[in-house]
């Protein structure tokens, strides 16, 4: 360990408004915030029943009609409104993404901070566990968990959370290793602070930035993984709408109804790209090395 | 870090500085191998421990399933078998043994090259693996070829004219490559091909590369493009930033100063020094690639490992799923080991010990 001087530079706390302002001034951050806003509006509309149609209601005589004033994004083979189904699918995706990232952050982040701070056998065991989870390709692991535990949005969230937990573990552990040796932590020890107080009040705020950056990026991956699982028929089950399932149905009907493939595909790409940009923007704002 | 070579315990950083000062890299007197046997053994031990963990978790996960492969296949709930018959079938497949015994006997036979028997088709799992493995390996190699072949030049060009219109185009490309999920791109390509040319990539029977290389390549091309596109985006990003970082180094000024052409400096000197992060990210991405093959093989109807494991999961074929998971994880872990060993070849300054 080199004797690098690490100063106590916690997150810009208490200035959350300025934080969002800086994000808004960042080009990536702005695009990401706009996309997030659109997604949240769509999800809220679905949650509070403000959609033009019931997403499950079939209008047989209007089956497979293209985008029009009546049905903005067209209808599917049963005459169900694609826009309403998309918004409901976004709600399902966001719910799973938020819950899974929350679980992964709590479990992986806390385990990583603890492993880095205490070291020793805790660190070795947790690190080896993370390696094992890492050795599975993400989709394969999620598939295996869903097959074992059953289907449903809660289990999908757990499956995605397990996949991303080791990432949060590593992201949290790394910076703790250097902060642990910093002068302000040693000073705290000399002052007789307990481990818990040091960990929560002095170490955690100083390693929060990489974790927050990771949260933004993980949201984008979680949406990607969720839609992949439902595309494979292992996520949200029909007739409930989900983005991945809509793509799978749309591709067989592409020659008759292009909008059935194009609309959900665009929604997924928009969500994944947008949240990815949000992650980049958050990194630009939070990472001191990138601050111009 | 090179603990083994230093007789006196010196701090790692200081020790390295002293050695490089007294012992130039090109010195013929240098006897210490860059890759110590001890390092290799330790890494191999890590690989074994990780793979053992993978085997245990694959085994335990599948045992959480309600029902087993016999009930899954023969449908006892429907009353096809009497309890006595069920017991004898279970005993035949060893499913009546306690779990640790099942695990040990599975591991034991794996080491003898016996991966068990598929309950659905009665074929040995080793045959299924032998048929599926080449398909996936070919797909992964083609995708890596496309990803690196597209990503590295694009990244170099983007960095060479950074902040220009070409750079912006390359950045958009990488954003889309990261943002378009495999299954969306695959569905889009299939929809386009079938609508425009009446060509259905997933309709035909798969042809092996030894039977007809041309037909085989045609079948592998589109799935490889899908996976390669995503890889190219990541490789491009990494190449661009590594390239920009290296371009600011002194050796670049020296190379220019001695009169080398721009393109020679760029493609030989800078790229060589920027290659470590590129190799790293390609290795890491191979894990995603192996996961991606599950989706892409399913969509394009390629009979590879991904499809094998997906149908295995649906039909509760323990032996099949366990074996494929083990094979995929082994490939992943070994690739990462190879990547680490590659460092020492690319960069003579790297000491693995």
């Amino acid at each position: 360990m080199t004797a690098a001087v690490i100063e106590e530079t916690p997150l810009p706390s208490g200035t959350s408004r300025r934080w969002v302002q800086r994000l808004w001034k960042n080009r990536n951050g702005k695009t990401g915030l706009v996309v997030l806003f659109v997604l949240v509006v769509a999800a809220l509309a679905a949650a509070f029943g403000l959609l033009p149609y019931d997403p499950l209601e079939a209008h047989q005589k209007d089956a497979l009609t293209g985008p029009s004033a009546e049905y903005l994004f067209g209808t599917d083979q049963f005459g169900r409104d694609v826009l309403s189904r998309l918004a409901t699918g976004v709600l399902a995706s966001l719910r799973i993404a938020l819950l899974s990232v929350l679980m992964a952050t709590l479990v992986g982040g806390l385990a990583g901070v603890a492993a880095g701070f205490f070291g020793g056998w805790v660190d070795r065991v947790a690190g080896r566990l993370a390696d094992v989870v890492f050795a599975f390709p993400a989709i394969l692991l999620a598939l295996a968990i869903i097959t074992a535990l059953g289907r449903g949005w809660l289990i999908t969230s757990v499956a995605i959370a397990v996949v991303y937990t080791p990432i949060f573990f590593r992201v949290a552990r790394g910076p703790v290793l250097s902060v642990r040796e910093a002068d302000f932590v040693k000073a705290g020890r000399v002052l007789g602070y307990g481990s818990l107080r040091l960990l929560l009040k002095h170490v955690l705020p100083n390693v929060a930035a990489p974790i927050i950056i990771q949260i933004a990026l993980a949201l984008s991956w979680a949406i990607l993984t969720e839609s992949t699982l439902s595309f494979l028929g292992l996520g949200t089950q029909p007739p409930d709408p989900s983005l991945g399932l809509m793509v799978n149905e749309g591709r067989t009907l592409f020659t008759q109804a292009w909008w059935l493939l194009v609309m959900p595909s665009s929604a997924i790409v928009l969500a994944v790209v947008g949240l990815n940009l949000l992650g980049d923007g958050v990194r630009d704002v939070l990472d001191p090395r990138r601050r111009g | 870090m090179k603990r083994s070579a230093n007789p006196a315990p010196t701090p790692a950083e200081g020790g390295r500085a002293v050695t490089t000062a007294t012992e130039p890299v090109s010195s013929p007197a240098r006897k210490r191998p860059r890759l110590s046997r001890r390092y290799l053994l330790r890494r191999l031990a890590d690989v074994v421990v990780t793979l053992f963990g993978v085997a245990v978790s694959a085994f335990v996960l599948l045992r959480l399933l309600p029902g087993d492969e016999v009930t899954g296949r023969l449908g006892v709930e429907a009353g096809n078998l009497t309890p006595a018959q069920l017991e004898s079938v279970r005993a035949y497949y060893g499913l009546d043994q306690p779990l640790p015994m099942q695990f040990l006997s599975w591991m034991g036979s794996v080491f003898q090259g016996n991966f068990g028997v598929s309950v659905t088709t009665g074929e040995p799992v080793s045959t299924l693996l032998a048929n599926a493995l080449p398909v996936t390996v070919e797909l992964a190699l083609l995708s890596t070829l496309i990803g690196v072949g597209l990503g590295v030049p694009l990244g170099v060009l983007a960095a060479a004219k950074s902040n220009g219109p070409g750079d912006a185009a390359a950045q958009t490309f990488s954003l889309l490559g990261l943002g378009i999920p495999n299954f969306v791109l695959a569905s889009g390509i299939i929809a386009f091909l079938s609508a425009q040319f009446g060509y259905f990539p997933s309709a035909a029977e798969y042809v092996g590369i030894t039977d007809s290389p041309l037909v085989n390549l045609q079948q592998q091309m589109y799935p490889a493009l899908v996976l390669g596109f995503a890889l190219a985006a990541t490789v491009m990003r990494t190449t661009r930033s590594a390239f920009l970082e290296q371009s600011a180094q002194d050796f670049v000024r020296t190379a220019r100063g001695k009169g080398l052409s721009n393109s020679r400096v760029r493609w030989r000197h800078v790229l060589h020094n920027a290659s470590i992060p590129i190799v790293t990210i390609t290795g890491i991405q191979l894990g995603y690639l192996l996961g991606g093959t599950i989706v892409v093989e399913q969509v394009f109807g390629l009979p590879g490992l991904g499809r094998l494991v997906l149908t295995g999961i649906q039909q509760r074929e323990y032996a099949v799923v366990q074996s494929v998971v083990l094979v995929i994880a082994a490939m992943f872990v070994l690739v990462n080991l190879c990547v680490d060993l590659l460092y020492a070849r690319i960069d003579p300054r790297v000491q693995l010990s």
Side-chain angles (χ1 to χ4, degrees), chain A residues 2 128 131-132 134-137 140 143-144 147-148 227-228 231-232 244 247 251 254-255 261 265 268-269 272-273 277 280, chain B residues 13 46 49-50 53-54 57 61 64-65 175 179 181 183-184 187 191 237 287 291 294-295 299 309-310 313 325 328-329 332:
Chain A
T2 49
R128 190 53 63 201
D131 277 355
V132 169
F134 255 127
F136 286 93
L140 185 57
L143 279 179
T147 321
S227 58
T228 305
F231 176 83
L232 291 174
V247 171
R251 73 193 170 108
F254 180 70
T255 39
L261 178 62
S265 297
I268 294 173
V269 174
V272 176
V273 170
L277 285 175
D280 286 352
Chain B
E13 295 299 318
D46 278 356
V49 171
T50 307
V54 168
S57 30
L61 260 181
L64 289 176
L65 286 173
L175 200 60
F183 72 92
V184 169
S187 305
R237 265 195 177 191
I294 297 178
V295 178
V299 179
V309 77
L310 201 61
I313 283 179
V325 166
I328 290 183
F332 183 49

Side-chain angles (χ1 to χ4, degrees), chain B residues 128 131-133 135-136 206-207 297 300-308:
Chain B
L128 296 175
N131 291 336
L133 192 62
V135 180
T136 301
Y206 181 75
V207 179
E297 283 174 8
F300 284 95
L302 291 184
L305 287 179
R307 196 137 172 245
L308 192 60

Side-chain angles (χ1 to χ4, degrees), chain A residues 160-216:
Chain A
I160 297 175
V162 171
V163 172
Y164 293 121
T165 298
I167 296 180
F168 280 99
F169 174 82
R170 289 202 178 169
V171 166
R173 179 182 171 274
V176 171
L177 290 180
S178 53
V179 169
R180 184 178 67 175
E181 306 294 332
D183 287 341
F184 65 84
V185 174
K186 287 182 186 150
R189 274 195 214 283
V190 173
L191 287 171
Y193 292 170
S195 284
L196 202 64
R197 173 167 178 180
L198 276 175
L199 196 62
L200 293 181
K201 297 207 74 162
H202 300 272
V203 174
L204 200 57
N206 282 287
V207 299
I211 300 180
I212 292 176
I213 294 166
Q214 205 61 38
I215 288 177

Side-chain angles (χ1 to χ4, degrees), chain B residues 3 5 30 34 49 53 66 70 74 83-84 96 107 122 138 143 164 170 196 199 228 232 236 293 305 320 342:
Chain B
R3 257 165 288 140
R30 186 172 169 278
R34 288 215 314 269
V49 171
V70 176
L74 301 171
D96 56 343
M107 286 314 288
E138 189 191 341
S143 318
Q196 285 294 312
Y199 172 65
M236 189 235 113
T293 56
L305 287 179
V320 175
L342 255 181

Side-chain angles (χ1 to χ4, degrees), chain A residues 115-138:
Chain A
F117 189 72
F118 295 111
W121 67 270
V122 180
D123 191 25
R124 277 203 299 278
V125 170
R128 190 53 63 201
L129 267 176
D131 277 355
V132 169
V133 178
F134 255 127
F136 286 93

Side-chain angles (χ1 to χ4, degrees), chain B:
Chain B
M1 295 292 202
K2 38 188 166 70
R3 257 165 288 140
S4 59
N6 286 327
T10 41
E13 295 299 318
R16 175 178 301 175
V18 170
T19 336
T20 29
T22 55
E23 206 181 5
V25 174
S26 54
S27 154
R30 186 172 169 278
K31 287 203 191 73
R32 187 194 317 132
R34 288 215 314 269
L35 174 64
S36 74
R37 181 176 298 161
R38 196 169 140 185
Y39 173 81
L40 201 61
L41 283 178
R42 206 183 64 221
R43 285 301 311 265
L44 282 175
D46 278 356
V47 166
V48 171
V49 171
T50 307
L51 283 181
F52 183 76
V54 168
V56 172
S57 30
F59 184 84
V60 169
L61 260 181
L62 286 167
R63 290 310 187 276
L64 289 176
L65 286 173
D68 56 34
E69 46 195 341
V70 176
T71 55
R73 174 70 195 134
L74 301 171
V76 187
E77 285 83 4
N80 292 344
L81 286 180
T82 65
Q85 282 172 320
L86 179 67
E87 276 318 304
S88 75
V89 180
R90 279 220 170 114
Y92 177 73
Y93 287 108
L95 291 171
D96 56 343
Q97 302 284 319
L99 284 186
M101 286 309 295
Q102 286 188 34
F103 179 74
L104 285 180
S105 75
W106 175 56
M107 286 314 288
S109 33
V110 161
F111 280 116
Q112 294 162 17
N114 173 9
F115 287 87
V117 175
S118 158
V119 179
T120 320
T121 62
E123 277 179 283
V125 176
S126 50
T127 313
L128 296 175
L129 282 177
N131 291 336
L133 192 62
V135 180
T136 301
V137 169
E138 189 191 341
L139 179 58
L141 285 179
L142 276 177
S143 318
T144 311
L145 207 67
I146 293 173
V148 175
L150 213 61
V152 171
L154 276 178
V156 171
L157 292 177
K161 299 216 165 36
S162 71
N163 299 324
D167 193 20
Q171 298 273 13
T172 314
F173 167 80
S174 92
L175 200 60
L176 288 179
L178 295 174
I180 302 181
N182 289 330
F183 72 92
V184 169
L185 189 58
S187 305
I189 286 182
I190 290 184
F192 177 76
L193 287 176
S194 59
Q196 285 294 312
F197 306 105
Y199 172 65
F200 296 89
S202 55
E205 185 89 11
Y206 181 75
V207 179
I209 192 161
T210 45
D211 296 331
S212 166
L214 220 64
V215 180
N216 172 274
L217 205 62
Q218 195 189 11
Q219 289 176 330
Q220 287 265 6
M221 181 172 66
Y222 295 108
L225 269 176
V226 171
L227 291 175
F229 179 63
L231 181 63
T234 318
V235 170
M236 189 235 113
R237 265 195 177 191
T238 311
T239 307
R240 180 180 175 278
S241 64
F243 204 86
L244 282 178
E245 202 179 306
Q246 292 295 331
S247 299
Q249 303 279 330
D250 286 342
F251 72 85
V252 177
R253 205 181 327 147
T254 310
R256 276 192 218 288
K258 71 178 185 181
L260 293 184
S261 71
N262 255 344
S263 67
R264 195 174 164 85
V265 171
R266 196 176 290 155
W267 293 101
R268 280 197 66 110
H269 294 256
V270 182
L271 190 57
H272 187 161
N273 279 281
S275 50
I276 281 215
I278 302 175
V279 170
T280 312
I281 201 75
T282 310
I284 293 174
Q285 287 297 312
L286 215 93
Y288 289 95
L289 210 69
L290 290 172
T293 56
I294 297 178
V295 178
V296 170
E297 283 174 8
Q298 180 68 14
V299 179
F300 284 95
L302 291 184
L305 287 179
R307 196 137 172 245
L308 192 60
V309 77
L310 201 61
T311 44
I313 283 179
Q314 283 156 357
Q315 294 172 342
R316 287 183 192 154
E317 288 262 25
Y318 293 171
V320 175
V321 178
Q322 275 166 195
S323 312
V324 178
V325 166
L326 205 55
V327 168
I328 290 183
M331 281 161 70
F332 183 49
V333 174
L334 287 177
V335 164
N336 278 323
L337 179 63
C338 291
V339 166
D340 281 0
L341 299 184
L342 255 181
Y343 290 162
R345 282 211 72 79
I346 297 173
D347 188 345
R349 287 166 302 188
V350 172
Q351 298 251 348
L352 303 173
S353 55

Side-chain angles (χ1 to χ4, degrees), chain A:
Chain A
M1 196 63 227
T2 49
V5 178
I6 298 166
E7 308 216 338
E8 192 153 11
T9 49
L11 282 180
S13 58
T15 54
S16 59
R17 191 143 38 98
R18 273 192 32 220
W19 198 83
V20 174
Q21 272 172 3
R22 282 231 303 280
L23 194 58
W24 182 251
K25 283 202 188 107
N26 180 290
R27 198 173 48 147
N28 288 340
K30 186 185 251 177
T31 320
L33 282 176
V34 170
V35 170
L36 187 65
F37 179 74
V38 171
L39 293 178
V40 169
V41 166
L44 286 180
F48 292 105
L50 300 172
L51 299 172
Y53 297 93
D54 178 346
L56 298 181
E57 187 191 353
H59 311 265
Q60 285 296 353
K61 63 176 180 9
D62 292 331
L64 292 180
T65 51
S68 63
E70 198 180 350
Y71 302 100
L72 275 179
F73 285 5
T75 60
D76 67 3
Q77 68 273 34
F78 304 112
R80 297 177 297 195
D81 180 42
V82 171
L83 177 62
S84 306
R85 290 180 68 73
L86 265 187
T88 317
V90 168
L91 174 64
S93 275
L94 275 188
R95 186 171 56 184
I96 291 175
L98 286 174
L99 185 66
S100 58
V101 172
L102 183 75
M103 288 190 279
T105 312
L106 282 180
V107 177
L110 286 180
V113 170
F117 189 72
F118 295 111
W121 67 270
V122 180
D123 191 25
R124 277 203 299 278
V125 170
R128 190 53 63 201
L129 267 176
D131 277 355
V132 169
V133 178
F134 255 127
F136 286 93
I139 286 290
L140 185 57
L141 183 58
L143 279 179
I145 293 172
I146 288 171
T147 321
L149 299 181
R151 289 163 200 184
W153 69 273
L154 213 59
I155 288 166
T156 308
S157 312
V158 170
I160 297 175
V162 171
V163 172
Y164 293 121
T165 298
I167 296 180
F168 280 99
F169 174 82
R170 289 202 178 169
V171 166
R173 179 182 171 274
V176 171
L177 290 180
S178 53
V179 169
R180 184 178 67 175
E181 306 294 332
D183 287 341
F184 65 84
V185 174
K186 287 182 186 150
R189 274 195 214 283
V190 173
L191 287 171
Y193 292 170
S195 284
L196 202 64
R197 173 167 178 180
L198 276 175
L199 196 62
L200 293 181
K201 297 207 74 162
H202 300 272
V203 174
L204 200 57
N206 282 287
V207 299
I211 300 180
I212 292 176
I213 294 166
Q214 205 61 38
I215 288 177
L217 291 173
L219 276 178
S220 140
W221 300 331
I223 288 190
L224 201 152
T225 312
E226 189 276 329
S227 58
T228 305
L229 288 172
S230 52
F231 176 83
L232 291 174
L234 292 164
T236 314
Q237 296 298 306
D240 287 334
S242 85
L243 301 178
L245 208 57
M246 288 174 79
V247 171
N248 199 6
E249 290 168 357
R251 73 193 170 108
T252 51
L253 292 162
F254 180 70
T255 39
Q256 305 153 55
W258 56 267
W259 58 91
L260 286 183
L261 178 62
V262 171
M263 297 302 178
S265 297
S266 318
I268 294 173
V269 174
L270 187 78
V272 176
V273 170
L275 290 174
N276 221 315
L277 285 175
L278 187 68
D280 286 352
V282 171
R283 182 173 50 205
D284 291 344
V285 170
L286 283 186
D287 192 341
R289 278 171 306 168
R290 285 171 178 251
R291 221 175 273 160

